[in-house]
Every structure is written in structure tokens, then in C-alpha cells.
Amino acid sequence: MKLLLVLPRNERGFWGKVSKTGKTGFVRLNLPTIAALTPMEWDVEILDARARPVDYNAPVDIVGITGFTAEMPSAYEIADNFRKRGVKVVMGGVHVSALPDEALAHADAVVIGEAEQVWHKALEDFKKGELKPRYKAPGLCGMEGMAVPRRDLLDRRMYVSGFNTIQATRGCPFNCDYCAVTAFFGKEFRTRPVAEVIDEIKGFDTRNFFFVDDNMAGRPAYAKELFRALEPLKRTWGSQASITMAKDQEFLDLYARSGGRYVFIGFESLSQKNLEKMHKGWNSAKGYKEAIEKIHAAGINILGSFVFGLDEDDKTVFRNTFDFIMETGLAAAQFHILTPLPGTVTYGVLEKEGRIIDRDWAKYHTGEVVFQPKGMSVEDLQNGYYWIFRNTYAIKNIAKRCFKSPKGLAYRIAMNVAYRKKAMRMPEVKGGF
Ligand code: SF4
């Protein structure tokens, strides 16, 4: 029996795209993990619809699709086309778990929650001709003996550097309003046995890899054990982590010694009021500079993430954030327009306040305004986003930041080149902010 797993596309966004030369960024582990959970008797193919056209006449028995909210219009179109030909479609993922009824208008079945505990059952039912509409995970799965993603099913040529990604933990101890991590993965922070993580890393075909974990600092004692085991492997890596990592000097030292060259940190806002309103008040805006200095002193580059359009933001947020990035010498920065993703607290609040102005999911890639901001116009929010992106990645500003950060010039230059390509595709804003 043949299972086709499809990664849909989003033409509007700036993230996760495939370049003209057919290259893309990091491997998402969702479909390779589903493939690994599928019994060996199945013939499994992963189709990246961002890079290759979908052949609706291909001889497949069942199709599985998952994607981000912004990819849902593409996912639904692909699902509809297969179903017109009588092929059964199963959908899953964060968006589908938040809005299963919406997805069921396009799919024969949906997986709600983590697939690990229900995927086998869905496939068994399909084989018996008894596929049910909903397969809801009874709870969160343990991380011992987790399936190792089938990277062998991916097109290796599409990935210059982000091919080897790995997950050591699931969840996050925090619960920021705009983030779907805790809604989907639960409040419980789960960890994988260190030995299993190390075994998987030993199988990588490159020295570099990336932890896709949402918060590597979620349980510092676990992370330190992992870093100690990593050190002898002499690899280099990056991860996401909360700024709380800066409070723990031993964590920072072990992170760097074990090969951690960069960290992706969600600063989100320089306004403490904004942070508190989004339940991220444990991020201390006034402590940011000191925390950055400590992380830099440990030899770790920082890729900062900022969100615009929060209730306390007015037009000055763009200039202030830009000045902060330049002053602190962040290696790179990523910007997002606040986006009410289904399943998040932000979605519920903006919905209740009647402030969602656009429901085209294709625009929910965090680069387009889909809600009515409080402190500025929709146009200012959109233009400010373009302005700060282009300005941060102007050649002269890249140079200033790159030479301010700690060692690891190659990482900083590579990151900036990649972001500059995205930034220069955005419209130029006359007048500035
Ligand atoms: S700290 Fe990061 S991963 Fe955790 S809930 Fe907040 S935004 Fe999400």
C-alpha cells in the first residue's frame, strides 16, 4: 500500500520558501516522523509541494497532509483534488488540531494532537475500510524510544545547511498568548533520554545541526546533561531558548563548550507592559542588555525575534527596536507582525474584540497585517515591518552588527546573507520611521 505525505506551500510568506535554485532552510520533522511511525509494509513517499508539482493521478492509496496555518489554503486545495479522484486524505498538525471541523470539510479524517498514539490506528482502520473522521490523541506521548525521523525520504539536495534537525524536548514551561506551543504540546515539559538524542546525532552526515525544540532552557538540568554528553562529539549547533538562559552561567558555558554557536531568542517587545499583557512578563525588558552581554561573553551569537502590533506599540516601536538591535550587536534579527493563529489566546482575544480583519489563512505567515492594531494604523504596521527588515539588513548595518558580536563571523555572515535576501524582496518604504 502506498502512503503519500505532502508538505503544502505558501506563496505569500517570507519564511520556509524554496529558492529559484531549489534550496530551502531547515528540515521540518513532522512528515519524516509520520513516515517513521508508519509500519514497514507501507511504501511511503514525502512530496514537498513547495518544490515539485503534485501528480494527482499518481497511484497512491492514502494521502497525509500537514502544514502551518499560512499553508492551509494550499493544503486544502491539494486535499480537495485528491478526494475528487477518490483518494482518502488524512490531515493533522497544529492548525488542524485547533480547527478540526474546518479541516474535515477537506479531509476524510483528522488527527487531533500528537500523532504518535493514533497514527497506527488510522492506518489500520483505513486498511479495513473503516476510516473514522477523528483520531484524537488520548494525551501527550512519552519521549522514550521515539521514532527517528525518516530523513532518507527527503530530497537532500534541497538543503544547504539545515538538513540535520533534531528534537530533544517537547513543550515549554511558559504560555505566551500568541504562541501555539503550549496549546498543542501541553504545559508539561517533556525530555527525551540523552543517550537516544546522542545516538541520533551520531548518525548525522554533517557536523552542524539544529535543535528544533521550542525552549532548550525549559529544564536547565536536562539541557546541561545533554550538553555534557554532546561535548565529546565535537559538533556545532544552534537552538531556540528563552532569555532565562542568561541567568545560569554554567548553562551558558556548557552550551558554548558543547558546540552551541548561536541561539534564537524571542525578545518580542522592549515594552514591559506588552510583555506582561502577553503573559511573557518573566522576560524583563530592562534586563535585556545585560542578558545579551552575558550570552555574547560566553561566545554565543544571538538571533533575536521581535513582534510588532502589540497593544502598547505605536509607530515609534520600529525605530526603537532597530536602535536596540544595533546597539546590542545582535548577530541577526527576525521580525513578525502579531498574528492571531488559531488555537492561541491571542486569537480568542482579538476574535472577541472584533479586531480580526482578514481571514485568508494564506496571509497568516506573520508578515501581513490581518487584525486591527490599537496604537497605529494597519498601513503603518505593515510599512514599519518592511522598514525595519530592510534597514536591519542594509549592508552598512550588517557590517556594523557583525563586527560587534562575539567570535563566529562565518555564522553571522551566513545568517545575514540569508535574511538580506528575504528583506530585499520587501517593498521599500519612503520616509522611514
Ligand atoms: S517562551 Fe517561546 S515557546 Fe514558550 S510559550 Fe513563549 S513564545 Fe512559546
Side-chain angles (χ1 to χ4, degrees):
M1 295 221 121
K2 171 99 185 228
L3 163 68
L4 178 68
L5 296 171
V6 186
L7 179 66
R9 60 187 171 269
N10 175 272
E11 301 300 342
R12 301 182 70 96
F14 303 107
W15 314 111
K17 290 187 106 158
V18 175
S19 72
K20 285 188 189 126
T21 55
K23 306 288 181 202
T24 190
F26 290 100
V27 162
R28 291 191 219 167
L29 293 175
N30 48 10
L31 294 181
T33 301
I34 296 291
L37 293 170
T38 303
M40 289 309 286
E41 76 208 57
W42 284 80
D43 175 16
V44 187
E45 180 186 343
I46 295 179
L47 172 72
D48 192 333
R50 301 173 306 167
R52 280 200 289 138
V54 183
D55 177 4
Y56 293 106
N57 295 314
V60 296
D61 296 290
I62 187 166
V63 173
I65 310 176
T66 185
F68 297 140
T69 297
E71 293 161 341
M72 279 301 122
S74 160
Y76 292 152
E77 182 194 333
I78 294 167
D80 292 345
N81 281 330
F82 272 114
R83 291 178 83 209
K84 271 186 212 152
R85 287 159 178 82
V87 178
K88 298 278 187 208
V89 173
V90 184
M91 300 186 85
V94 179
H95 181 96
V96 167
S97 296
L99 298 177
D101 292 330
E102 174 190 284
L104 275 169
H106 304 273
D108 298 284
V110 292
V111 171
I112 302 168
E114 293 179 329
E116 273 86 349
Q117 294 173 74
V118 291
W119 183 240
H120 269 83
K121 175 81 176 120
L123 290 179
E124 271 167 32
D125 286 353
F126 168 75
K127 274 169 60 180
K128 287 189 272 180
E130 294 172 4
L131 191 64
K132 303 187 179 50
R134 288 165 202 261
Y135 291 87
K136 188 166 189 302
L140 300 171
C141 68
M143 291 190 81
E144 293 84 15
M146 273 183 66
V148 175
R150 294 273 316 267
R151 298 180 180 87
D152 58 302
L153 296 175
L154 299 170
D155 183 352
R156 183 71 177 87
R157 294 163 304 175
M158 287 177 67
Y159 301 91
V160 181
S161 60
F163 184 69
N164 288 310
T165 53
I166 185 167
Q167 190 171 44
T169 64
R170 276 190 187 174
C172 176
F174 304 117
N175 194 6
C176 310
D177 281 5
Y178 58 88
C179 175
V181 167
T182 309
F184 187 76
F185 288 119
K187 276 207 121 165
E188 192 193 333
F189 188 76
R190 287 165 287 159
T191 59
R192 210 174 149 196
V194 166
E196 292 183 23
V197 180
I198 295 293
D199 274 353
E200 194 174 329
I201 292 168
K202 281 181 179 165
F204 289 167
D205 59 2
T206 56
R207 281 190 69 232
N208 294 330
F209 68 92
F210 185 73
F211 283 111
V212 295
D213 305 46
D214 292 300
N215 188 356
M216 189 47 89
R219 190 175 297 160
Y222 170 82
K224 288 179 197 176
E225 188 192 339
L226 177 60
F227 299 161
R228 284 191 187 97
L230 253 177
E231 197 178 338
L233 301 191
K234 306 259 178 268
R235 306 289 173 121
T236 56
W237 54 273
S239 78
Q240 305 180 92
S242 51
I243 190 83
T244 50
M245 72 188 270
K247 290 182 186 160
D248 188 335
Q249 191 58 47
E250 188 186 30
F251 181 101
L252 294 179
D253 293 341
L254 286 167
Y255 191 109
R257 274 212 324 259
S258 62
R261 293 286 175 268
Y262 63 100
V263 62
F264 180 104
I265 294 178
F267 294 96
E268 324 307 8
S269 177
L270 303 180
S271 150
Q272 194 62 33
K273 271 193 184 166
N274 268 336
L275 293 170
E276 263 148 35
K277 276 190 179 172
M278 68 165 98
H279 297 112
K280 200 161 184 158
W282 46 268
N283 253 17
S284 161
K286 71 173 174 3
Y288 279 169
K289 284 184 188 165
E290 193 190 335
I292 290 168
E293 277 166 20
K294 277 191 181 164
I295 296 168
H296 279 172
I300 304 162
N301 287 288
I302 302 173
L303 199 162
S305 175
F306 299 87
V307 177
F308 300 122
L310 297 159
D311 284 355
E312 297 294 321
D313 287 346
D314 58 24
K315 277 173 67 174
T316 60
V317 70
F318 304 108
R319 167 59 69 179
N320 292 341
T321 308
F322 172 76
D323 289 346
F324 173 84
I325 291 164
M326 294 305 293
E327 190 190 334
T328 51
L330 295 185
Q334 211 178 75
F335 308 106
H336 304 277
I337 292 172
L338 181 69
T339 301
L341 297 172
T344 62
V345 173
T346 297
Y347 180 86
V349 170
L350 293 180
E351 177 83 308
K352 198 166 149 214
E353 294 176 354
R355 291 167 61 196
I356 298 181
I357 56 174
D358 198 323
R359 291 178 191 274
D360 177 357
W361 295 139
K363 294 180 183 167
Y364 282 57
H365 53 84
T366 77
E368 287 188 81
V369 185
V370 296
F371 77 105
Q372 182 60 53
K374 270 193 176 161
M376 66 185 114
S377 67
V378 167
E379 195 187 19
D380 282 339
L381 178 52
Q382 188 67 65
N383 285 336
Y385 169 83
Y386 292 143
W387 176 83
I388 194 169
F389 234 125
R390 288 187 65 104
N391 219 20
T392 302
Y393 293 101
I395 298 279
K396 66 175 193 298
N397 294 329
I398 291 178
K400 273 188 206 161
R401 283 185 294 99
C402 278
F403 289 101
K404 222 173 190 181
S405 291
K407 60 184 178 183
L409 192 61
Y411 273 101
R412 273 175 271 139
I413 291 176
M415 268 192 245
N416 278 280
V417 166
Y419 278 111
R420 183 174 157 79
K421 276 188 194 156
K422 289 182 200 305
M424 293 305 127
R425 285 202 293 267
M426 295 176 190
E428 205 168 342
V429 179
K430 298 271 180 276
F433 277 80

